[in-house]
Amino acid sequence: MPVLTATNLYFAHGDTIILDGVSLSIEPADRIGLVGRNGTGKSTLMKILGGIVKPLKGEVALLKGCRVGYLQQDPNLDPEDTLRDAAERAFEELHAAHEEQHQIYDQMAHAQGHDLDKLLKKQAALEARIESLGGYAIDHKIEEVLHGLGFTDAQFALKVKQLSGGQRGRLALARLLLEQPDVLLLDEPTNHLDIEGRLWLEHFLNDEYKGAVLMVSHDRYLLDNVVTRIIETEQCRLIDYPGNYGQFREIRAQRRLTMLRAFEAQQSKFKKEEAFIRRYKAGQRAKQARGRQSKLDRAKESSTLERPMELDTFGFTLPKAPRSGDIVVALREASKKYRREDGTDKVLFDSLSLSIGRGERWGIIGPNGAGKTTLVRCALDELPIDSGKLQLGASLVIGYFRQTHEELKADETVVRYLQGVILREAPQAALSEQQARDLAGAFLFSGEEQEKKLGVMSGGERTRAVLAGLLASAKNLIILDEPTNHLDIESAERLEDALDMEGGFEGTLILISHDRALIDATCEHLIVLDGHGGAEVFHGNYSEWAEKERQRKRQESARAAEEQARRDEQDRKRREAEERKKTEAARQSRPAPRTNGSNPSANALARMKTEQIEARIEKIETRIKQIDAELSDPDVWRNQAKGESLSNERNALAAEMEPLEFEWSRRANE
């Protein structure tokens, strides 16, 4: 049974229709990726499903007893909460259940009869609810999720008002994941996540979370590794595809090719009919022509096929850049650090050596705050290195895409901006208006969008405009710092096409990104910063480096397991030796049994019946077996006090057993 259904949803902004009669059904264990160009209604649909926005028509139904969690881009957090307290608010319902449980226990202390039975049933139901909400061990869960999303223990005490926008976004995601709703609606969950955070999120969604997921994401690797169904927003409709993102691309290409062939066949048929009508409308066959005209009009009105959205390729020839020297950037034993607010130094990289040759493609990866942008600025001599040597190549014409674009003029259109930036940066490659429109079209600006002013554009549209101008301005070294932060998938794939050698860019590329698909598609060398001052130069693409890392972690895990097994064996032998010593010491210090009346213990045994002695021996043997079973569990010895207590109890029981067995044996031989 579907956990969430939407039926005949309609939504519009003024005269602009966003969703037109769309329906959707989400099953309990679904993993769905929602894709489509920016502005086609993905976020609107998510907000409707999450109850944030009401549709103008249609309805949304949630299965009784189920909860929906929606990741908002602007989370509502208490600024005075600490980071950890804000995350723990995910368990407010659990805390309320614990409080109710304590109240029930207080009532049970004074209740009797029927009232007590009612309270016992209520307590049992509440216990099940507490277990479903997270139980009792929530501290570990909170820390696991916060660590997985990139927070450190030192940040747990920071107040929300001290956090950056990216940190607040990660905190909102952490709290939502901790809430464990039945349906997760994730709108761009990888925003502000580095590669490690994205890998952790993949693991959590695949292995930890058991509910349904509907996710808008521009991270193609996340969609490939998590989702099993793709829904595309296109022309106010939803189109459902089985499989992950890679399979979706193949099926969509086949579907659109089939649709295009059917459209072209229909258009060809219409043209033949129109040619017949023109030829015979005034002759002897005019009546037949008029009949065909009526039939053609009805066909066009009722069954005209839509032309499918094109899956065209990058179709603009980039201008040639001047040739740079063979060596573009060379660093020798370079180091860089900065002083933190607490007075300590943070090392970004130390003794880093690398050489970037003409035409090479380099990616820089690492956790947030590792110093990726600083490394690039040092390599361009914008910032001084603390030690080492820097050599910049000859004849460099550098284009630098930064994360902010304050230099844009709000009243310029895309076409005018492109003409202006090319004229300023590369006068020899100046564009006519038609060439500027062709360039804009190559970067997915079509029709009226080319006349749109930069000031009213979305972040993704402005990014595409800046990238178009940068790539067409004849640079032989291009640095891209997080270029896909605001791009939809189709725009990111268009950037890949433009950066490809066949796309026309023949220069050197340095790319900072967390987009694993983009790095894989464009870079064959990597600089990996670990965030602790370490820097690795790797010659290969991201997938090759990731596989090397997986093998390294498997080997480390195997070595750690072997070392733990060795320590466990040593501990076991040590415990056995200590137990033997204690037993021997107890035996040697115990006085020999006496048969005269001066030994109270012997006198007590003499007064016991044989059946009592046998019962006591049996009880001691049973308890000794239980203790031996407990002592064989390695977990017991992680609590040293408990292990020693059990050992002492066993020694005492063994000491008690010896005279009992002696007395029983003496009586048996009489």
Side-chain angles (χ1 to χ4, degrees), residues 348-368:
L348 300 179
F349 51 90
D350 184 43
S351 301
L352 173 61
S353 296
L354 61 90
S355 179
I356 299 177
R358 183 182 66 250
E360 292 181 348
R361 311 298 174 91
W362 285 72
I364 304 178
I365 63 175
N368 293 323

Side-chain angles (χ1 to χ4, degrees), residues 116-131:
L116 180 60
D117 290 340
K118 287 174 63 178
L119 288 171
L120 286 170
K121 290 179 181 178
K122 190 174 181 180
Q123 188 273 334
L126 190 59
E127 189 71 31
R129 182 165 162 240
I130 287 173
E131 188 64 30

Side-chain angles (χ1 to χ4, degrees), residues 148-402:
L149 295 178
F151 291 108
T152 63
D153 289 339
Q155 294 173 318
F156 284 8
L158 290 176
K159 289 195 172 183
V160 169
K161 63 184 179 183
Q162 297 174 279
L163 303 179
S164 67
Q167 289 172 324
R168 286 194 186 98
R170 285 187 281 139
L171 174 57
L173 176 59
R175 192 158 84 179
L176 181 60
L177 297 181
L178 286 166
E179 287 174 357
Q180 293 274 310
D182 300 281
V183 183
L184 272 177
L185 304 177
L186 301 178
D187 194 352
E188 288 298 344
T190 57
N191 281 357
H192 317 298
L193 290 184
D194 56 27
I195 289 177
E196 282 299 314
R198 296 176 188 214
L199 290 170
W200 180 88
L201 181 61
E202 286 181 13
H203 161 74
F204 182 89
L205 294 177
N206 283 328
D207 302 330
E208 302 289 335
Y209 178 68
K210 305 304 180 186
V213 178
L214 177 64
M215 172 169 50
V216 175
S217 180
H218 298 156
D219 188 319
R220 288 162 282 173
Y221 277 19
L222 181 68
L223 294 175
D224 269 340
N225 295 334
V226 173
V227 309
T228 56
R229 179 180 163 200
I230 294 286
I231 294 176
E232 183 182 26
T233 56
E234 180 184 295
Q235 297 174 333
C236 310
R237 299 170 301 178
L238 302 182
I239 305 171
D240 214 324
Y241 296 85
N244 62 15
Y245 181 76
Q247 294 164 326
F248 151 74
R249 288 195 69 192
E250 295 177 4
I251 298 171
R252 181 181 60 173
Q254 296 171 359
R255 169 183 164 269
R256 289 187 174 179
L257 180 59
T258 301
M259 290 175 63
L260 180 61
R261 287 171 176 167
F263 171 81
E264 289 175 343
Q266 187 183 61
Q267 292 299 307
S268 177
K269 181 179 179 181
F270 286 169
K271 287 177 181 179
K272 288 180 181 179
E273 286 295 298
E274 289 167 350
F276 178 89
I277 292 166
R278 285 195 302 272
R279 183 176 181 181
Y280 295 110
K281 66 180 179 180
Q284 293 181 346
R285 304 176 68 176
K287 184 176 181 181
Q288 184 180 1
R290 287 195 299 273
R292 287 201 177 189
Q293 181 68 63
S294 299
K295 186 177 180 181
L296 178 61
D297 291 342
R298 288 194 300 272
K300 286 184 176 181
E301 183 177 348
S302 63
S303 61
T304 298
L305 299 175
E306 292 183 6
R307 183 182 184 86
M309 295 181 66
E310 296 294 341
L311 288 174
D312 55 346
T313 56
F314 185 75
F316 187 86
T317 302
L318 297 175
K320 298 294 183 183
R323 181 185 176 92
S324 71
D326 290 340
I327 300 299
V328 175
V329 176
L331 286 171
R332 295 289 180 271
E333 299 294 320
S335 300
K336 183 68 176 178
K337 62 184 178 183
Y338 72 87
R339 183 61 57 89
R340 297 187 180 98
E341 291 182 1
D342 62 5
T344 61
D345 289 333
K346 178 176 175 61
V347 178
L348 300 179
F349 51 90
D350 184 43
S351 301
L352 173 61
S353 296
L354 61 90
S355 179
I356 299 177
R358 183 182 66 250
E360 292 181 348
R361 311 298 174 91
W362 285 72
I364 304 178
I365 63 175
N368 293 323
K372 300 183 291 296
T373 300
T374 300
L375 172 58
V376 166
R377 295 186 66 193
C378 288
L380 297 180
D381 208 16
E382 288 186 1
L383 290 175
I385 53 178
D386 296 334
S387 62
K389 293 183 179 180
L390 164 67
Q391 176 189 347
L392 280 174
S395 305
L396 290 182
V397 185
I398 301 172
Y400 194 163
F401 176 90
R402 303 175 192 268

Side-chain angles (χ1 to χ4, degrees), residues 129-140:
R129 182 165 162 240
I130 287 173
E131 188 64 30
S132 69
L133 291 172
Y136 297 88
I138 63 171
D139 288 343
H140 171 70

